[in-house]
Amino acid sequence: MRSIAASDASHPRLVELDALRGLAALVVALYHFTAEYSDLYGHSVPLWGEARFGKYGVQLFFAISGFVILMSLERITRARDFVSSRAARLYPAYWTAVLLTFTVVSLFGLPNREFSLQTALINLTMFHELVRVPHVDTVYWTLTIELSFYLLMFLIAYARALPRVIPLFIVLVSLQTLAELAFEAMGMPFVARLASRPHLQFFALGVLAFKQSRGEVSVPAALALVGVCLAHEVFVGSIAPVPVFGVVLVLTYALSRGALRWLTWRPLLFMGLISYPFYLVHQNIGYVIIRRLEAAGWRPEAAIAVAFAVGFLLATVITYRIEQPALRAYRQLRRKAQERSAVSPHVA
């Protein structure tokens, strides 16, 4: 999928979506470099402040994925093309990030985050969590959830049920909520936590926002979906407190109404362009940099600034030298395959 920032100018909401993605990536990284680093290793001196709220940027990522994936599915003619396009979009940058992070951590060390080459190689599948192999970088936990959502949306598209996606999500979120409540009541909190893993309530907000932006959802259906998602957060809860759900709901609704054009600031749009590689490489490599610089006497804020700068640089290189060339190659192969399929009936 091409960059949202590079989308047709006749679709300004897509640009706003990219800005939101960039903002989410920044707040997540700010949380990791300030609050989480403090919890894991401790900064050399107290920080000026800690961005603990930034950990909930991933919920915004999930909602953005709901919007983008439904938009992507409605642009393709065959459901199986969705699988190949997602793989071309995700894997080249991911493989680069895994190998780069593994190499840096192996060379410079990072307590409790050093793994074998075998673990790194299994991580390359992106399905490693399903076979209980640890993450080379813990930010990868969201990828398993994203893949689960992609599979769900593929099945919905394959069943030609996209026109009924809102009623389907009303049912799915309701079933998820009931399952979690039932397992908790039976004294099975671990199973309840597994049932909550898909985070469907946040993906649903993005799906709803896309349908609202197209004027394809009725008010009663929209209210019903928001209602079951809110009920999940109130009666069951998740890793994010209820106010986070409210913030994501407001942002996705504003996105659907074209009310976030003030976010289209060029640096933020560029951050959106490189957000996926940045998310993949920033954490453990950033921690290595912060540890080394603070040990050398740097102020934590200066060390964090360098970690951000290195993350931006690596993400930019991966975007322009790995991710985008891989996408261009995929599109060329797909175009040639379409041309062959168009010619073959005449040849026959």
Side-chain angles (χ1 to χ4, degrees):
M1 186 184 71
R2 67 195 177 105
S3 165
I4 298 298
S7 297
D8 194 301
S10 64
H11 298 283
R13 289 173 192 158
L14 302 187
V15 180
E16 297 159 40
L17 191 65
D18 215 33
L20 270 183
R21 183 190 283 115
L23 183 62
L26 285 173
V27 298
V28 168
L30 197 57
Y31 160 72
H32 286 149
F33 291 161
T34 59
E36 185 171 90
Y37 186 93
S38 293
D39 296 338
L40 291 172
Y41 304 113
H43 284 286
S44 55
V45 296
L47 289 169
W48 296 335
E50 293 183 349
R52 292 197 174 270
F53 66 89
K55 70 186 295 184
Y56 303 120
V58 293
Q59 278 67 43
L60 181 56
F61 272 134
F62 293 152
I64 291 170
S65 288
F67 192 109
V68 171
I69 296 310
L70 185 55
M71 178 175 63
S72 299
L73 281 168
E74 293 206 349
R75 288 178 174 176
I76 63 175
T77 55
R78 299 181 302 177
R80 66 175 180 266
D81 289 339
F82 171 72
V83 177
S84 56
S85 66
R86 286 289 91 194
R89 169 73 175 84
L90 296 178
Y91 273 100
Y94 174 72
W95 289 335
T96 305
V98 171
L99 296 176
L100 185 60
T101 300
F102 171 76
T103 300
V104 170
V105 172
S106 298
L107 289 175
F108 298 100
L110 188 63
N112 302 318
R113 301 204 169 201
E114 299 172 28
F115 297 104
S116 67
L117 177 60
Q118 180 183 9
T119 296
L121 293 175
I122 297 174
N123 266 242
L124 293 176
T125 66
M126 208 184 288
F127 295 99
H128 55 280
E129 188 176 1
L130 301 179
V131 292
R132 300 181 179 238
V133 172
H135 303 294
V136 166
D137 192 317
T138 55
V139 298
Y140 301 163
W141 72 270
T142 62
L143 299 180
T144 306
I145 295 170
E146 292 274 355
L147 289 175
S148 300
F149 176 68
Y150 295 168
L151 175 60
L152 171 64
M153 295 302 292
F154 168 79
L155 293 175
I156 291 174
Y158 189 77
R160 301 183 185 278
L162 285 178
R164 300 185 296 280
V165 70
I166 298 299
L168 280 172
F169 266 88
I170 292 172
V171 172
L172 289 171
V173 175
S174 299
L175 289 176
Q176 174 182 297
T177 303
L178 292 173
E180 291 180 65
L181 289 172
F183 288 126
E184 286 285 355
M186 290 187 291
M188 303 169 67
F190 174 73
V191 181
R193 285 195 296 273
L194 286 179
S196 71
R197 283 279 288 172
H199 296 272
L200 287 177
Q201 65 275 21
F202 289 101
F203 288 108
L205 295 182
V207 168
L208 176 60
F210 177 74
K211 284 294 189 180
Q212 287 176 318
S213 72
R214 300 277 294 269
E216 296 176 350
V217 58
S218 67
V219 173
L223 291 176
L225 182 54
V226 171
V228 297
C229 292
L230 179 59
H232 178 279
E233 297 301 279
V234 171
F235 295 110
V236 179
S238 65
I239 60 174
V242 175
V244 171
F245 177 86
V247 171
V248 176
L249 174 62
V250 169
L251 287 174
T252 52
Y253 180 77
L255 177 69
S256 73
R257 297 304 179 195
L260 294 179
R261 290 171 189 167
W262 54 274
L263 274 178
T264 55
W265 181 45
R266 189 172 295 276
L268 201 54
L269 294 177
F270 179 75
M271 187 65 219
L273 173 65
I274 67 170
S275 59
Y276 176 57
F278 177 80
Y279 178 79
L280 294 175
V281 302
H282 81 275
Q283 184 176 244
N284 282 1
I285 294 175
Y287 287 172
V288 168
I289 292 168
I290 293 169
R291 278 187 88 237
R292 290 277 172 154
L293 292 181
E294 288 192 20
W298 287 48
R299 279 281 314 179
E301 291 81 8
I304 289 170
V306 173
F308 264 111
V310 171
F312 294 149
L313 177 61
L314 291 175
T316 301
V317 172
I318 293 171
T319 297
Y320 287 104
R321 298 298 183 184
I322 305 292
E323 184 181 44
Q324 291 190 351
L327 284 171
R328 285 194 295 269
Y330 163 74
R331 292 192 190 104
Q332 289 174 357
L333 288 173
R334 182 177 170 185
R335 187 161 48 247
K336 289 178 181 178
Q338 290 172 338
E339 290 171 355
R340 285 196 298 270
S341 64
V343 170
S344 59
H346 301 290
V347 174

